[in-house]
Amino acid sequence: MTTLIWLRDDLRLADHPALTAACAAAHGPVVALWIHETRRTDEENNRHGPRPLGAAARWWYHRSLQQLAPRLANLGIPLVLARGDAANVMRRVVDTVQPTCVHWTRRYAPAACRLDAAIKQELNSCTEVHSHPGSLLVEPWLMQTANGSHYQVFTPFSRAVADLPLGALLPEPSPVDAPDGAATALSTLREDGVLQNLEDLGLLDDGPAWWDDTLEQHWEPGELAARQQLDAIDGWLPGYAKRRDLPGEERSTSRISPRLRCGELSPRQALTAARSSTAAGEDIAAWTRQLYWREFCWHLLHYRGDLEDTPMRSAFAEFPYRPDDHLARAWRQGRTGIDLVDGGMWQLWQAGWMHNRVRMVAASLFTKNMLQPWQDGEQWFWDTLVDADEAINPVSWQWVAGSGADAAPYFRVFNPELQRSRFDPRSCYVERWIPAGLDRPIVPVVNLAESRREALAAYQQVSAASAADARPERG
Ligand SMILES: Cc1cc2nc3c(=O)[nH]c(=O)nc-3n(C[C@H](O)[C@H](O)[C@H](O)COP(=O)(O)OP(=O)(O)OC[C@H]3O[C@@H](n4cnc5c(N)ncnc54)[C@H](O)[C@@H]3O)c2cc1C
């Protein structure tokens, strides 16, 4: 009579519909499973499974799982871990544990949906499978424009989401009975090598050696720390509307992005906290708007699974990028000679995170002044951001590059020097992050005025029609 809950990007106990349902319906032990997943591609080139985690996000998941295991154990739920193809792992686990019921939180990227649907179909012959909401404010298929299609423009989408009822948040479930009921099956799986220790999952492989120290200085993964951060909202939300563009300010933005990424917080918890905060209306509105941007990115990804490497505007497939190793390396290493961008790239390298304003400027320099393919910059962010998000990262890169839905207009090329003097006037940010004595070029690796002209000329080569209907929506 075991119940299995397959955890994915929902590493929390509170406001967790799948976990709540698993515990409420259990007539015996409940076992939680998390898989470090690999991704498959079939003969038709369809991807199956979520995009494999980048190195910084893997660090986060490792630490977050470490925090989650004893909390689940307090509820009488063992957390078991595996690595590999999720369909194979699920098959082995279900064969051995023989659960009466499997629960999970839905995923929305088409490649993950394909995998989950296949697993569900296979398991349905021997067990019940229930999927639940939990990672978004609203299921993408419930959001339709008046003509029945999905949204491609942010403003009407955000209005529609804002009008939806949120519902009450779910508390942490109560402890379950029979905590050791599945022990024999689990030890068989361990002996067979299906289940592994956290240390053997490989989540900490491949990142730079110093990350473990530096990331730890900046972050405390885990649901409890996440909730403390959200509970302190009346301390950091007031002033957000004015401060959010100032990367040098200590509490410029919330920094909850990695928490939402791995589901230590649900977006409903975030929105509920904002709506009940004592901050001014303009601050609440500015912050909830960002949560709606997150939602919009996932809405787009749900309907277009190839966002991570394919431009949404097809004309951009012909964009005359000029891949250049020397320029790309200078950008990645924070040695462009352009202060704000170098500061951002060093913040990224040391803290696994970068302020939003600086992300936009760094991405603009990379794709426009340097004419490097946005996919290369997106991949670097994917590997180095603790909040690397399957929807937000590619949508944001495409937004900056001009190839996305509702994208920044192609002629908007940020001037990083003006951006620095406007948003980091006292150079607090730049001085905070660029290591003292770093060997950087005195003359920037690209001439900003000249490269801007070249970028605009290159943009004119792509379809005017494609660029003309771009709408400047954020910034
Ligand atoms: C090139 C580029 C790449 C990006 N890649 C990612 C990414 O991989 N993961 C990620 O979470 N964000 C990404 N962003 C969006 C944004 O920079 C981060 O969400 C934000 O900096 C996170 O900090 P915060 O939690 O303090 O944000 P806050 O300002 O406090 O916002 C609260 C939450 O709203 C959401 N949010 C904020 N800004 C945006 C935005 N512009 N688009 C969508 N959702 C938003 C995030 O979930 C964020 O945690 C990217 C932006 C750019 C320009």
Side-chain angles (χ1 to χ4, degrees), residues 350-369:
Q350 293 173 57
W353 189 86
M354 194 194 290
H355 187 276
N356 180 59
R357 169 66 38 185
V358 191
R359 291 187 204 204
M360 289 197 285
V361 175
S364 170
L365 185 89
F366 189 77
T367 54
K368 293 181 170 168
N369 301 88

Side-chain angles (χ1 to χ4, degrees), residues 240 244 253-258 260 287 290-291 293-294 297 353-356 359-360 363 381 385 387-389 392-393 396-397 400 474:
Y240 174 82
R244 61 179 289 262
T253 63
S254 69
R255 293 169 180 253
I256 67 159
S257 48
L260 290 170
W287 198 65
Q290 304 314 310
L291 296 175
W293 264 109
R294 172 184 184 274
C297 295
W353 189 86
M354 194 194 290
H355 187 276
N356 180 59
R359 291 187 204 204
M360 289 197 285
F381 271 29
L385 280 170
D387 66 21
D389 183 284
I392 309 177
N393 199 41
S396 301
W397 273 91
V400 174
R474 69 176 176 182

Side-chain angles (χ1 to χ4, degrees), residues 440-462:
R440 279 195 312 147
I442 297 164
V443 177
V445 290
V446 279
N447 176 308
L448 293 176
E450 206 174 286
S451 60
R452 180 177 192 277
R453 276 193 297 277
E454 287 182 36
L456 293 181
Y459 271 88
Q460 269 147 17
Q461 287 181 37
V462 302

Side-chain angles (χ1 to χ4, degrees), residues 132 162 180 297 321 329 370 399 424 431 434 440:
H132 303 262
D180 298 326
C297 295
Y321 287 117
R329 195 174 322 115
M370 292 181 162
W399 182 84
D424 189 29
E431 283 171 15
I434 300 180
R440 279 195 312 147

